[in-house]
């Protein structure tokens, strides 16, 4: 019986703080958990591997202001 399982995270977006916050809000609205990490060359947004397809769909459908 598996009692704990590490969920792999996949990067789905990278950008400046304003873009990252916008993407995180879109993902949150779609009930997708997202985490961020500053890797020096931009802030990266990652999601659990099970939510990758849904996250990419949300991100690709976003409209630029």
């Amino acid at each position: 019986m598996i009692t704990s399982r590490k969920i792999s995270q996949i990067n789905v977006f990278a950008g400046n703080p304003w873009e990252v916050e916008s993407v995180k809000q879109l993902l949150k609205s779609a009930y997708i958990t997202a985490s961020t990490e500053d890797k020096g060359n931009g802030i990266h947004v990652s999601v659990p591997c099970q939510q990758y397809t849904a996250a990419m769909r949300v991100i690709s459908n976003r409209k630029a202001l």
Side-chain angles (χ1 to χ4, degrees), residues 33-53:
T33 34
S35 59
T36 58
E37 182 179 0
D38 189 353
K39 295 192 176 183
N41 61 346
I43 302 171
H44 294 249
V45 177
S46 60
V47 298
C49 61
Q50 294 87 351
Q51 297 179 325
Y52 174 78
T53 304

Side-chain angles (χ1 to χ4, degrees), residues 1-23:
M1 181 168 127
I2 298 173
T3 57
S4 67
R5 179 181 298 182
K6 183 177 179 180
I7 298 174
S8 298
Q9 295 283 319
I10 300 176
N11 288 337
V12 292
F13 184 81
N16 64 43
W18 184 85
E19 292 172 317
V20 166
E21 191 57 38
S22 173
V23 167

